[in-house]
Amino acid sequence: MMVKVTIEEAKTSKDLIIEQRADPWVYKHTDGYYYFTASVHEYDRIEVRRSKTIQGIAEAETAVAWRKHETGPMSALIWAPEIHYINGSWYIYYAAAPSQEIIDGLFQHRMFVIENKSANPLEGTWEEKSQINTDWESFALDATSFEHCGQQYLVWAQKDPNIRGNSNLYIAPLENPWTIKGPQVMIAKPEYDWETIGFWVNEGPAVLRRNGRIFISYSGSATDENYCMGLLTADETSDVMDPNSWSKSEAPIFKTNYETGQYGPGHNSFTVSEDGSKDILVYHVRNYTEIVGDPLYDSNRHTCAKEITWNSAGTPNFGVPR
């Protein structure tokens, strides 16, 4: 069912946390605070907020961690920051481009890292570390990190010049939070119809570990109502660097719901409830379909959060965007 909905007809999400924040990342730290960052619609800076509750993020104190440069590789289209706490320091992964120019159908983003050694990342100084160098100097974004069996890993989206499409998903071990020590291997590429509408995209990976498995959610297709989420799954005893360890959902596991009026959900993160008893899906969604121009420049992608339930087989059930 395809229904075109205007902004005047839009429904407010029941799961709404904060308006006009795309690619949301929420991390609950040991200090009891939720730390939040996301793409701001001006694409010119990285903000960090903290709150004792998820709902409190909207009104929480906000600090600008970093602003784009006037010129150079970090001067345009600052996308999808993620905040991580690794080995006693705070890190933000983000993507930036030298301009808004599209070359051969792609923006020119690369991945970068900033570091803050303060206990509270809303204070202290954020230091630029470096670009994350990979096997190719090509379109790359959406870096995320997780620890497994004492090794820190990076998962990200990148264009392989020899593979059709915009981006595939890769994994590599890290020497430090901003340096891959190799090798990098591909664990997913766009292949199903629902991943290739508008653009051939696998992006926005996020890691969830439960029930003896490692799950990586990701997003596919263009960033309009066709945007949706898929899921990779590996046994936690398997070799995460072996592509054969990862199985891929054949159908989207979170997608547009016309009944609730929520469209194009995706680019998510995972956190837990205040008491730690529930897993929470944090995602962005639109509430209308009539978008004028490039969807990337429509500011109304809103941050939402909802509880994840668990199927009897031990797999996550994300339900529908509400």
Side-chain angles (χ1 to χ4, degrees):
M1 180 176 65
M2 300 296 287
V3 178
K4 294 299 181 182
V5 179
T6 66
I7 191 169
E8 290 80 11
E9 301 168 319
K11 298 178 181 178
T12 299
S13 171
K14 293 180 179 179
D15 298 325
L16 178 67
I17 299 299
I18 181 172
E19 294 184 337
Q20 297 189 335
R21 289 296 182 270
D23 315 321
W25 187 263
V26 175
Y27 167 72
K28 189 179 184 187
H29 192 40
T30 53
D31 62 4
Y33 281 98
Y34 291 94
Y35 290 87
F36 170 84
T37 189
S39 297
V40 301
H41 59 86
E42 298 89 353
Y43 298 143
D44 65 349
R45 65 192 185 276
I46 297 173
E47 293 181 346
V48 179
R49 303 181 182 210
R50 74 172 189 168
S51 170
K52 284 288 190 178
T53 66
I54 295 174
Q55 287 292 337
I57 289 171
E59 305 300 328
E61 174 189 0
T62 302
V64 175
W66 181 88
R67 293 186 185 274
K68 72 179 184 68
H69 294 191
E70 290 300 314
T71 59
M74 295 180 283
S75 61
L77 299 177
I78 310 306
W79 288 357
E82 291 191 10
I83 187 167
H84 294 259
Y85 189 77
I86 302 171
N87 296 332
S89 295
W90 294 95
Y91 296 91
I92 293 179
Y93 294 96
Y94 64 98
S99 71
Q100 297 185 25
E101 184 180 12
I102 296 175
I103 301 174
D104 295 330
L106 291 169
F107 289 105
Q108 301 304 300
H109 285 78
R110 303 294 187 266
M111 302 178 295
F112 301 89
V113 183
I114 54 177
E115 177 190 58
N116 189 333
K117 295 183 177 180
S118 300
N120 177 0
L122 277 71
E123 301 172 349
T125 301
W126 285 95
E127 176 187 351
E128 294 177 4
K129 301 307 289 185
S130 72
Q131 178 181 331
I132 299 176
N133 296 308
T134 66
D135 285 356
W136 313 285
E137 188 63 30
S138 65
F139 177 70
L141 71 170
D142 297 349
T144 195
S145 185
F146 73 103
E147 184 274 334
H148 179 57
C149 294
Q151 173 65 56
Q152 200 76 29
Y153 291 91
L154 193 78
V155 182
W156 72 97
Q158 187 166 15
K159 167 66 176 177
D160 179 336
N162 296 312
I163 295 178
R164 179 183 178 181
N166 293 62
S167 59
N168 315 310
L169 295 182
Y170 297 88
I171 188 172
L174 287 170
E175 181 178 315
N176 57 47
W178 58 92
T179 308
I180 290 172
K181 66 179 180 182
Q184 71 179 60
V185 298
M186 183 176 71
I187 54 175
K189 66 178 181 179
E191 53 190 315
Y192 297 117
D193 290 346
W194 54 272
E195 301 174 296
T196 57
I197 303 173
F199 298 103
W200 291 51
V201 171
N202 281 179
E203 66 180 17
V207 177
L208 176 65
R209 303 179 62 167
R210 291 288 182 272
N211 304 326
R213 298 180 180 132
I214 303 171
F215 302 100
I216 299 180
S217 62
Y218 66 93
S219 298
S221 289
T223 58
D224 54 17
E225 65 194 282
N226 295 300
Y227 206 53
C228 59
M229 286 167 47
L231 194 68
L232 303 175
T233 305
D235 190 284
E236 66 178 2
T237 63
S238 66
D239 178 4
V240 297
M241 290 296 297
D242 182 352
N244 294 319
S245 295
W246 298 95
S247 61
K248 187 179 191 181
S249 57
E250 295 183 0
I253 47 83
F254 200 56
K255 62 181 181 178
T256 286
N257 188 282
Y258 292 96
E259 287 71 29
T260 60
Q262 303 301 307
Y263 309 100
H267 204 122
N268 74 289
S269 58
F270 297 106
T271 189
V272 295
S273 58
E274 283 83 355
D275 64 2
S277 66
K278 299 174 182 178
D279 291 300
I280 305 295
L281 171 70
V282 183
Y283 63 98
H284 75 230
V285 72
R286 301 181 188 276
N287 54 9
Y288 57 88
T289 61
E290 286 287 0
I291 300 169
V292 177
D294 189 326
L296 282 171
Y297 297 104
D298 180 286
S299 61
N300 289 311
R301 290 184 290 174
H302 308 310
T303 293
C304 299
K306 71 185 302 291
E307 181 185 347
I308 298 168
T309 59
W310 291 89
N311 300 315
S312 58
T315 54
N317 186 331
F318 299 143
V320 301
R322 302 182 300 172

